[in-house]
C-alpha cells in the first residue's frame, strides 16, 4: 500500500541556508489508492495513545466525567460476536453473548475543543475488537471512501465491523448527509454499532446547543439508534494557556525551514491555489513525511471555498501534530467577519483553534 508523490523541489524565491533545501507542499501531487483510504480509517496519530483515563475532565463540568463513564460502558457492551451473526463463529465455539440492550449508537454533543475527538478515539481503543473490525474517520473521509469504492462496496467493506466512529458529521452538507444517512442505515441493519460527533447547522446560535436535535433529525430514520451525550465545557486548547505567538518575519520562517529536517516551505497564497488542485481526501497524503510546515505571507483567505479547503488541511495537520510556523497575519485573522458569523463559523473557529495550537508547537523552531 503506497502513495505516489510527484514533487518538483523546494519552494522558490528563498536563498539557500543549507545544502539541502526544504520541501514544498505546492510541489506535491499525491495519488491515494482506495485501499489506503480503508486502511487509514483509524484514530489519527495525535490520538494514537489517548484513552479514557488520559481524558482530563473539567471539575466544573460534570457532564465530562459522566461522558467517560457512559462511553466506557458502551464500549464494554460491544464485546462478543458481530451483532448480525456475521462473526464467523466456528461450530465448536460457545455462543457469543447477546448485545447489550439499548441504542447501538451514541452521539457526542458539544462545542469545539471540549475533547469530543479524544473521547471518540478512546471509545475506538476501548472497544474489545481487533483493529480490522473497527473504523474511525471524519465525515469527509467517509464520503471520500464512498466516492472511491462506490456505495455497495463500502457497505460490504464496513458491514462486518463491530464499530464505526464518525468525527465531525457534516450537518451543513444536505446531499452528503442523506448519502451517509443511507449508508449508516444499511450498516445498522448489519449490526454495526455507531458513534459520532457533529458540527452545528447554519443559523444555530450557541455552541452545540441545538446540535443533538439537528443531528438526530438529519440522519433520517436512525434517531432510535443513537443516545445523545452532552459534553459541556470550554475549548481545552485555551484553558490556562498563553495567547498564540505572534507571526514571525519571512526571514525567520525561511531560516527555520532550511534548518529543520523534513520541514516544508511555501508561500501561503500559492499554497491556497495549490489546494484547489488537490482533492481534500489527499490532504493527509500531502503532508506525508512533513516534520513542520513553514508558511510565508499568510493573508486572509479570499472566499468561502478556499476557506473550507484550508479547514480540511488544518484538521489533517492537527491530527498529525505537524507544527506550523508562519509570517504575515495571525491565524485569528484568517477568516472575515462575514465568514465567522456565517453558517460555517464553527468550522472556522475550530481551524483557528487548531492552527493556534500548532503555532505554539512551532515556536521552538525559531532560533532565539
Amino acid at each position: 500500500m503506497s502513495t505516489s508523490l510527484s514533487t518538483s523541489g523546494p519552494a522558490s524565491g528563498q536563498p539557500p541556508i543549507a545544502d539541502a533545501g526544504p520541501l514544498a507542499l505546492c510541489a506535491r501531487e499525491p495519488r491515494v489508492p482506495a485501499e489506503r483510504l480503508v486502511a487509514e480509517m483509524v484514530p489519527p496519530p495525535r490520538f494514537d495513545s489517548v484513552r479514557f483515563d488520559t481524558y482530563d475532565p473539567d471539575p466544573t463540568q460534570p457532564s465530562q466525567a459522566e461522558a467517560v463513564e457512559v462511553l466506557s460502558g458502551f464500549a464494554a457492551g460491544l464485546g462478543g460476536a458481530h451483532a448480525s451473526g456475521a462473526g464467523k463463529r466456528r461450530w465448536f465455539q460457545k455462543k457469543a453473548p447477546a448485545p447489550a440492550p439499548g441504542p447501538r449508537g451514541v452521539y457526542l454533543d458539544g462545542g469545539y475543543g471540549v475533547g469530543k475527538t479524544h473521547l471518540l478515539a478512546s471509545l475506538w481503543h476501548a472497544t474489545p475488537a481487533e483493529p480490522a473490525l473497527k473504523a474511525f474517520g471524519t465525515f469527509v473521509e467517509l464520503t471520500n471512501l464512498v466516492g472511491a469504492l462506490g456505495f455497495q462496496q463500502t457497505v460490504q467493506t464496513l458491514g462486518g465491523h463491530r464499530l464505526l466512529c464518525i468525527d465531525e458529521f457534516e450537518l451543513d452538507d444536505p446531499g452528503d448527509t442523506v448519502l451517509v444517512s443511507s449508508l449508516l442505515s444499511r450498516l445498522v441493519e448489519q449490526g454495526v454499532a455507531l458513534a459520532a460527533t457533529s458540527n452545528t447547522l447554519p443559523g444555530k446560535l450557541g455552541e452545540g446547543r441545538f446540535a443533538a436535535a439537528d443531528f438526530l433529525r438529519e440522519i433520517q430514520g436512525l434517531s432510535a439508534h443513537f443516545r445523545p451525550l452532552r459534553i459541556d465545557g470550554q475549548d481545552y486548547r485555551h484553558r490556562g494557556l498563553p495567547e498564540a505567538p505572534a507571526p514571525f518575519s519571512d526571514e525567520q520562517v525561511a531560516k527555520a525551514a532550511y534548518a529543520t529536517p523534513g520541514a516544508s516551505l511555501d508561500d501561503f497564497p500559492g499554497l491556497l491555489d495549490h489546494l484547489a488542485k488537490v482533492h481534500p481526501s489527499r490532504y493527509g497524503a500531502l503532508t506525508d513525511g512533513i516534520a513542520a510546515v513553514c508558511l510565508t505571507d499568510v493573508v486572509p483567505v479570499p472566499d468561502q471555498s478556499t476557506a473550507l479547503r484550508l479547514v480540511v488541511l488544518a484538521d489533517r495537520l492537527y491530527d498529525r501534530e505537524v507544527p506550523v510556523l508562519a509570517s504575515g497575519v495571525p491565524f485569528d485573522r484568517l477568516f472575515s467577519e462575514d465568514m465567522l458569523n456565517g453558517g460555517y463559523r464553527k468550522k472556522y473557529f475550530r481551524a483557528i483553534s487548531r492552527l493556534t495550537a500548532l503555532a505554539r508547537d512551532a515556536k521552538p523552531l525559531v532560533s532565539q
Side-chain angles (χ1 to χ4, degrees), residues 2 60 71 168-169 178 182 202 245 254 261 291 297 332 343:
S2 64
T60 67
L71 291 172
E168 296 295 341
F169 202 105
V178 172
S182 299
D297 192 26
D332 59 4

Side-chain angles (χ1 to χ4, degrees), residues 10-16 254 258 265:
S12 60
Q14 297 293 348
Y258 279 89
L265 177 61

Side-chain angles (χ1 to χ4, degrees), residues 247 250 267-269 295-300 324-331 334:
D250 287 351
D267 171 74
F268 186 71
L295 301 171
T296 59
D297 192 26
V298 172
V299 295
V324 179
L325 191 71
S327 67
V329 303
F331 287 134
L334 281 173

Side-chain angles (χ1 to χ4, degrees), residues 169 171 174 177-178 181 201 213-221 223:
F169 202 105
L171 295 180
T177 297
V178 172
S181 178
L201 279 173
D214 291 332
F215 176 82
L216 294 176
R217 183 181 65 251
E218 291 297 318
I219 53 172
Q220 303 165 18
S223 298

Side-chain angles (χ1 to χ4, degrees), residues 75-90 93-100 104 127-130 133 159-163 190-193:
L78 298 180
H82 192 273
S84 67
K88 297 183 175 64
R89 181 170 59 91
R90 298 181 184 275
Q93 289 178 319
K94 292 182 179 180
K95 184 178 180 180
R104 293 274 296 174
T127 296
E130 58 183 275
L133 294 180
H161 281 53
R162 191 76 50 80
L163 173 69
Q190 298 193 34
V192 181

Side-chain angles (χ1 to χ4, degrees), residues 282-315:
R282 302 172 183 171
Y283 287 4
L286 187 69
T287 66
D288 280 352
I290 298 295
V293 167
C294 298
L295 301 171
T296 59
D297 192 26
V298 172
V299 295
V301 294
D303 56 72
Q304 188 154 267
S305 296
T306 302
L308 292 173
R309 287 191 289 267
L310 181 61
V311 167
V312 177
L313 179 63
D315 286 343

